């Protein structure tokens, strides 16, 4: 039987091939299972061990064909892009062009930036998600849910910032913000007098020899692009992130991402060192810290930096130990979480969670479905609205397109567009009083609006 993975050694040293880094057996078996069962059409895992690296490819980039992914297969890397935007910030700081504590308003004089009791948002606040800006702007209303950011322009970003009221002072709490990183990228490009793409190429991609890394992929890159897929397995286009590109729009390959991580691992000078210097904690007293975009944790006595990303049809994970000895990149062309796979590849022996089988949908009468219709707010900035359409229940979050809900049991539903479940709770009289959204291993209770 032909093995489902291919080993592509990338690095030679002194003219003699070194032993390729070994992929942990549990990780290899899990990747084989994920692609064999169709949960992921293709997966690429790049492993850096000391001065050597290798890329392992699983599955196929073309349905029904034996077209294995490899070092030069292109994927959209989603929010791993944020680490690149943060590196551009660190580069500007080292070059003396900006300061971390500098107000964003000083770099974007044409914008009206929100403030809280006179406290302004700094570049550091944006880079550490301490800006008090929301995850998504409140004027985000995509025309095409399959390509939600395509019509979100710089004019809309400017409009949002001028009208938004911060809920608390910048620098006081961690609130993951895609729009915050969009603003950071806009500010850095404005300071450089160029576009974000031009800045990315000049200061990062070209110096590191990353020829398949771009926010605007070339024809050659598109020819090597693994087509994106939804959780359901349906094909979906790569997102056009427009002004939000600095938060998640970059395309890259495993070969380029190896070069990118090696720059952190083997060039421990500024600006790389600045990005992985702990700046703040994700939670008061918490062990997880954040540098400039990179999340900083310890496990098995080893310190490592990591970030993951996801767009409509792609998921990514990048990590490296801060001693520079091991690094990992995982790229896949489906919107399904692969963080656990990446961590286990980085730190062999880290247990992988049991593989969750996709739930089976059942039919419920429309009269029963109508009970769930309503609004389920979380604070003042987000509301999950459940409606009953022609084909059944749908749920839409504030600033996010609608997605179908599928019943697995009474009061139990799941999404196919995203990896999330929605359960409804009732009071003693049987009336629905709340919904519990489960995503990424976290439960969020959303009380039903009267």
């Amino acid at each position: 039987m032909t093995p489902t993975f291919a080993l592509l050694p990338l690095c030679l040293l002194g003219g003699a091939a070194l032993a390729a880094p070994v992929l942990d057996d549990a990780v290899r078996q899990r990747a084989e299972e994920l692609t064999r069962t169709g949960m992921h059409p293709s997966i690429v895992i790049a492993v850096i061990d000391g001065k050597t690296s290798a890329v392992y490819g699983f599955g196929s980039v073309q349905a029904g064909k034996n077209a294995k992914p490899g070092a030069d297969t292109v994927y959209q890397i989603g929010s791993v892009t944020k680490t690149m935007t943060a590196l551009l910030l660190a580069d500007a700081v080292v070059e003396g062009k900006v300061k971390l504590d500098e107000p964003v308003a000083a770099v974007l004089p044409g914008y009206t930036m929100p403030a809280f009791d006179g406290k302004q948002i700094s570049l550091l606040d944006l880079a550490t998600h301490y800006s008090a800006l929301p995850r998504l702007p409140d004027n985000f209303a995509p025309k095409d849910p399959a390509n939600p950011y395509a019509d979100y322009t710089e004019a809309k970003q400017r409009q949002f910032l001028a009208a938004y009221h911060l809920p608390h002072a910048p620098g006081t709490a961690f609130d993951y913000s895609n729009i915050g990183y969009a603003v950071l990228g806009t500010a850095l490009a404005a300071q450089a007098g160029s576009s974000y793409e031009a800045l990315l190429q000049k200061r990062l991609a070209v110096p590191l020899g990353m020829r398949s890394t771009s926010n605007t992929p070339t024809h050659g890159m598109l020819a090597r692009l693994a087509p994106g897929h939804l959780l359901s397995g349906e094909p979906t286009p790569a997102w056009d992130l427009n002004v939000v590109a600095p938060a998640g729009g970059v395309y890259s390959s495993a070969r380029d991402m190896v070069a990118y991580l090696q720059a952190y691992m083997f060039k421990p000078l500024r600006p790389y060192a600045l990005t992985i210097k702990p700046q703040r904690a994700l939670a008061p007293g918490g062990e997880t810290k954040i540098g400039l975009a990179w999340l900083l944790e310890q496990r098995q006595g080893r310190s490592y930096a990591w970030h993951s990303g996801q767009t409509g049809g792609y998921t990514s994970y990048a990590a490296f130990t801060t001693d520079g000895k091991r690094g990992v990149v995982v790229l896949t062309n489906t919107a399904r979480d692969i963080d656990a796979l990446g961590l286990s590849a980085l730190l062999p022996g880290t247990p992988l969670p049991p593989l969750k089988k996709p739930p089976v949908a059942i039919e419920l009468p429309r009269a029963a479905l109508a009970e769930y219709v309503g609004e389920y707010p979380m604070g003042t900035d987000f509301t999950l609205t459940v409606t009953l359409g022609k084909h059944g229940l749908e749920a839409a979050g504030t600033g996010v397109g609608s997605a179908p809900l599928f019943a697995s049991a009474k009061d139990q539903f799941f999404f196919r567009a995203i990896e999330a479940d929605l359960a409804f709770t009732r009071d003693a009289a049987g009336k629905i009083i709340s919904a519990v959204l489960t995503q990424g291993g976290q439960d969020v209770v959303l009380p039903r609006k009267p």
Side-chain angles (χ1 to χ4, degrees), residues 21 38 81 107 162 168 201 224 297 302 345 355 394 414 429 439 447:
T81 299
V107 188
H168 53 80
Q201 294 301 319
R224 292 180 278 115
E297 296 196 60
R302 304 188 73 177
L355 192 60
E394 297 181 354
F414 63 95
Q439 189 173 18

Side-chain angles (χ1 to χ4, degrees), residues 267-332:
K267 298 179 182 177
L269 305 173
R270 300 187 302 172
Y272 301 99
L274 181 57
T275 65
I276 59 172
K277 177 183 177 183
Q279 299 286 348
R280 286 163 170 164
L282 261 61
E287 293 184 2
T288 301
K289 311 295 182 185
I290 185 169
L292 304 183
W294 289 105
L295 299 171
L296 308 170
E297 296 196 60
Q298 286 193 353
R299 188 173 295 211
Q300 298 181 14
R302 304 188 73 177
S303 300
Y304 63 98
W306 71 278
H307 209 293
S308 59
Q310 189 174 109
T311 59
Y314 299 88
T315 309
S316 62
Y317 178 91
F320 58 94
T321 57
T322 54
D323 61 10
K325 291 184 178 179
R326 191 169 177 88
V328 164
V329 176
V330 184
L331 304 173
T332 179

Side-chain angles (χ1 to χ4, degrees), residues 165-190:
H165 297 283
L166 299 180
H168 53 80
T172 59
F174 177 87
D175 296 294
Y176 190 86
S177 177
N178 285 314
I179 189 62
Y181 257 84
V183 175
L184 178 59
T186 300
L188 293 171

Side-chain angles (χ1 to χ4, degrees), residues 196-335:
Y196 175 78
E197 171 66 13
L199 185 62
L200 179 76
Q201 294 301 319
K202 180 180 179 181
R203 303 300 299 179
L204 195 159
V206 171
L208 295 181
M210 298 168 68
R211 298 179 180 179
S212 296
T213 298
S214 174
N215 174 55
T216 55
T218 63
H219 291 297
M221 288 175 61
L222 291 175
R224 292 180 278 115
L225 178 67
H229 293 79
L230 301 173
L231 279 176
S232 60
E234 299 172 74
T236 190
W239 284 354
D240 300 308
L241 274 85
N242 207 329
V243 73
V244 190
V250 166
Y251 298 72
S252 193
S253 67
R255 187 183 301 275
D256 278 14
M257 291 302 295
V258 166
Y260 179 60
L261 291 195
Q262 284 179 329
Y264 289 91
M265 297 166 67
F266 305 134
K267 298 179 182 177
L269 305 173
R270 300 187 302 172
Y272 301 99
L274 181 57
T275 65
I276 59 172
K277 177 183 177 183
Q279 299 286 348
R280 286 163 170 164
L282 261 61
E287 293 184 2
T288 301
K289 311 295 182 185
I290 185 169
L292 304 183
W294 289 105
L295 299 171
L296 308 170
E297 296 196 60
Q298 286 193 353
R299 188 173 295 211
Q300 298 181 14
R302 304 188 73 177
S303 300
Y304 63 98
W306 71 278
H307 209 293
S308 59
Q310 189 174 109
T311 59
Y314 299 88
T315 309
S316 62
Y317 178 91
F320 58 94
T321 57
T322 54
D323 61 10
K325 291 184 178 179
R326 191 169 177 88
V328 164
V329 176
V330 184
L331 304 173
T332 179
N333 56 330
T334 195

Side-chain angles (χ1 to χ4, degrees), residues 112-128:
T112 301
M113 293 295 300
F116 187 91
D117 290 343
K119 174 72 171 176
Q120 297 189 66
I121 300 171
S122 70
L123 294 173
L124 178 63
D125 292 332
L126 292 177
T128 56

